[in-house]
Amino acid sequence: MEADAATAGEPAGDAAATALRARLAGLAPEGGTGVIFSFDATDTTLTWLPGLDAVLGLPGAPGEDLCEQLLALLRPLTANLRAVLPARDFELEQSLETATGQPRRIRLRARTVGERSRTTGLLGVVYAVPDEQPGKSELAELADRYRVLVELSPDAICVHEGGFVSYVNRAALDLLGAGSAAEVVGRPFTDFLTDGSAERLAGGVRALTEPGAGTGTVEAVLKRVDGSKLAVETITVRTSGENTPSFQVVIRDVTGRRAVADALRTQAALVTHVSDAIIATTGAGIVTSWNPAAAAVYGWSATEAVGRPAAELVGAELDPEAVLRAGGVVEQAHRNRTGTALSVRVSAAEMYDGYVLVCADETARRRAEQRYRTVVGALDEGVMVMGPTGRLESANPAAGRILGLTPADLIGVPSTMLALFDEAGAQIPDEELPSVRTRRTGLTQNGRIARWRRPDGRDVWISVTSRLLDPEDAAGATAVVSFTDITERRSISARLAHDATHDPLTRLANRTLVLDRLDRRTHCQASTVLFLDLDKFKLINDSLGHSVGDQVLRIVGERLRHAAGAEDVVGRLGGDEFVVVTQAATEDGEVRALAGHVRAVLAEPIVVHGRQLHLDASIGVVLVGPDDQRSAEDLLRDADVAMYQAKALGGGRFELFDVTLRERMQRRLRLEQDLREAVHNGQLWPAYQPVVDLRTGEMVAVEALLRWTHPKHGEISPVEFIPLAEESELINVIGKFVLRSAARELARLRAERGLDLNLKVNLSVRQLDDPGLVPAVRDVLATTGLPPGSLCLEITESALMRDEAAAAAVLASLRELGVLLAIDDFGTGYSSLAQLRRLTLDTLKIDRSFITGIAESRDAAAIVTSIIAMAHAVDLTVVAEGVETAEELALLRELDCDQAQGYHLGRPAAAADLFR
């Protein structure tokens, strides 16, 4: 507080005088008479012993005048008193005019007093300088006052000459943490600066060439005597000439100021940006401050609000004292400028000149709480709250509906009474229940799958999540448990998992599951693989239709399931090919008996649609020893070879795979050599199968299918020679041949006949690995004249999934050429929606196995519907393969399939026949 705001006190009594004299030892003038005084900086009280009026030359003057005069004399000492440490002595000589108008010199000796490092006042002696003592000149008085001011300055002041410290004031000693000037004076000034700060200050000092020249404010880091560091601001002034330059440095500790500034900025930002209305008022309730949130809540701008009664602005009585009496926080109903009712929580705090009110608008929160209760009550998800005692405190209607209990039955029930079972069927221990674990560990339990037995006996599968109601509650007293009924989803998931590994027509294991079981066979135990192919089944399909054929396949699957043992694997690999894997028959006699039994079971007459049919099968058998290292694919391949041998021998029999089949392998080798020659001898040629737009019925594309006319064997089925080509690099040569031949032929037909048709060409797995594929496609487009957008390259799903990253790179390069890309045989692999998006395809071809019998199979129709929806979701054109009947075609139109191909729409034919 300013010293000139002090008030005069009564002159001190005798006891006080004695105490003061003891504390002022060493300050009394030698041989002179002085008056002891005391100045209390806390309440700005000034007291003195009798005789002050005589010392000041103001005999009989009132106390107020004496106080005012003494304060004026002491002002150089009291101006920065709080910045000086206790027990520091000062001497000051000043002039004043006595009551008679004569000048008088007054000398003051004072000592700072206080507790620890906090100065609370001054004790001192004031006396008149005897007339016989020579007075000081004005310059000397000025110097004297300057010295006192420097000593009392709250800023540290240091003088260095020639780079060495020659003087430090008391504030500098405090700032440096020195006990005396001896610890500092005589040392290089740079000892008290960090290297970077010394360089920065030296640069400024070099620019000071004349006495009186000074630097601006320079920031620096000061090194104290104990090695600690402070952030400071410095101003350097040159005080002497050229011979021995002297510099005075004013050093100010800005650590606290920066902290205060940061705090003030933070507080200002909080007040400005806080969402609560902050209102400052006088004691009479007049607004002195109104933050933006207050303007937003109540609709009055700060300009309108300041100076008006707060109660008028908030639309309610606002008594800060009443709020304080109520504990500092109350709930009130306010109204904004438009009269809208507000629910407000008011907090009050007293200031030195009024009050600060924090008005939190809880209207939205309370409305939200009501809505939250409504929403929780309407949720299909069960929500329960487990309290600190482990008992259920609340439950929404969905919780009761899922658990088969009413919420009233649940309230108060211990969580351990709600028995849950894991997926293995074991009861989850009490300490492992989600709510118990959450309250014990504080950790959220997400998606725990459990089974609950309802009172009605029905089992419900639920996905349980448990979390703390208040994450800040370290004790974890209350947990919120939410759960959803996943019974149906789990059933669908199980059904989809079953569908993914089972043939949709016969419900037997599909190729994927058969291979998986073979891969996971126990190698220390022998087993047997039977590969069955129905003889002349194609005749049934062609003569009686695929619906009859499908029914026959279902019956065959059922008979095989009953003929095999309970632990055997029975599967359908596709078409009329079946497989049985058993470990019950491994000896030669046992295997022969099993094969004969299977044939006998299949040979029993089958009646379908009033027709009696007789079947037989060709069976290939592979005996798998305990140490057999063949893979699952190898075993099926070998069983397939043995089956073809049985067919070659007339069918209706079984053959064991052994060394006698090497001749067949040799024939395959010869056929492969003939295929190499066929590429160069014109034996290979492309046939074209129409692809029809299901919306317009027009042919929009043709698929090029390779055909081989062997000079000796005639027409060789692609089923026979394509696998041969796939097993060697020959497929790359053949693939490029087909691509070039078909592109050239279709480009010519497009030009001659004005056809607007796309060409679809299959790419094999081996072609995707061929580094020459992309250059070959680029060359074909350049030399044949076929537009890139008219060429669609089809890749099987299994090829894409074999090495997705490599396939994606190849497809990206092909995409850059402008050609279209399609995924073929979709549904036979493991591709997903995410993979289809990453591969940037244009067309998806549904495998014929999903189309066959779709008109009679709800499951097949559901799967195809899902595939079409998934493909359309990523903007793929959907083509259905293997359309054999008008019913299938009509159903595909209803399912919004885009295009189709199959025998019902047109068989593969040479270009001359197709475009006749």
Side-chain angles (χ1 to χ4, degrees), residues 183-311:
E183 296 182 52
V184 180
V185 173
R187 292 177 59 181
F189 181 59
T190 55
D191 282 359
F192 305 103
L193 296 170
T194 60
D195 293 342
S197 297
E199 292 177 5
R200 194 157 51 250
L201 264 65
V205 167
R206 283 193 291 269
L208 305 179
T209 59
E210 297 294 335
T215 65
T217 301
V218 179
E219 292 187 354
V221 178
L222 190 72
K223 291 196 298 185
R224 306 181 78 214
V225 171
D226 62 3
S228 60
K229 298 177 181 179
L230 290 175
V232 297
E233 289 179 353
T234 67
I235 298 177
T236 304
V237 179
R238 182 163 182 163
T239 60
S240 66
E242 298 180 356
N243 295 332
T244 306
S246 176
F247 301 92
Q248 176 177 292
V249 185
V250 179
I251 308 170
R252 180 170 296 168
D253 181 3
V254 297
T255 306
R257 191 183 72 192
R258 288 183 179 177
V260 170
D262 290 343
L264 289 175
R265 281 193 294 270
T266 300
Q267 292 174 4
L270 287 174
V271 170
T272 301
H273 298 290
V274 73
S275 59
D276 292 339
I278 299 179
I279 306 169
T281 72
T282 65
I286 302 302
V287 173
T288 59
S289 177
W290 186 268
N291 75 333
V297 171
Y298 294 105
W300 301 94
S301 68
T303 303
E304 295 172 312
V306 172
R308 296 178 63 180

Side-chain angles (χ1 to χ4, degrees), residues 299-511:
W300 301 94
S301 68
T303 303
E304 295 172 312
V306 172
R308 296 178 63 180
E312 177 183 324
L313 299 171
V314 303
E317 289 298 325
L318 202 57
D319 186 352
E321 291 186 358
V323 176
L324 291 172
R325 288 194 300 271
V329 180
V330 298
E331 301 286 339
Q332 290 187 341
H334 290 183
R335 291 188 179 276
N336 64 14
R337 186 171 190 167
T338 63
T340 302
L342 303 173
S343 297
V344 180
R345 177 168 47 85
V346 181
S347 305
E350 189 172 4
M351 296 192 304
Y352 69 92
D353 59 350
Y355 300 93
V356 172
L357 301 168
V358 179
C359 301
D361 182 7
E362 298 189 339
T363 309
R365 181 179 66 80
R366 294 186 182 182
R367 185 182 298 115
E369 288 176 351
Q370 179 59 44
R371 291 178 178 176
Y372 171 77
R373 286 191 292 270
T374 303
V375 169
V376 171
L379 285 177
D380 288 333
E381 180 180 19
V383 179
M384 302 188 303
V385 177
M386 298 294 182
T389 63
R391 293 181 178 272
L392 200 150
E393 294 183 345
S394 66
N396 70 340
R401 184 173 63 253
I402 294 172
L403 300 180
L405 298 166
T406 65
D409 294 333
L410 290 169
I411 303 302
V413 174
S415 58
T416 53
M417 293 293 293
L418 302 176
L420 298 177
F421 299 85
D422 61 21
E423 295 184 273
Q427 182 172 344
I428 299 175
D430 291 347
E431 63 274 10
E432 293 301 315
L433 289 171
S435 64
V436 176
R437 288 195 63 185
T438 293
R439 291 194 302 109
R440 184 178 72 247
T441 66
L443 301 177
T444 298
Q445 307 294 310
N446 281 315
R448 177 74 183 271
I449 304 301
R451 177 172 57 82
W452 162 261
R453 175 63 60 85
R454 289 164 51 101
D456 60 9
R458 183 165 66 89
D459 285 337
V460 177
W461 286 96
I462 57 177
S463 175
V464 185
T465 295
S466 176
R467 59 176 57 87
L468 291 179
L469 179 63
D470 181 5
E472 302 300 324
D473 180 8
T478 304
V480 177
V481 180
S482 59
F483 51 92
T484 55
D485 184 354
I486 61 169
T487 307
E488 182 178 358
R489 188 176 74 193
R490 187 179 174 90
S491 175
I492 293 173
S493 177
R495 186 163 64 249
L496 289 175
H498 180 275
D499 291 346
T501 55
H502 289 76
D503 172 51
L505 181 64
T506 64
R507 312 311 295 171
L508 299 176
N510 62 11
R511 183 182 185 87

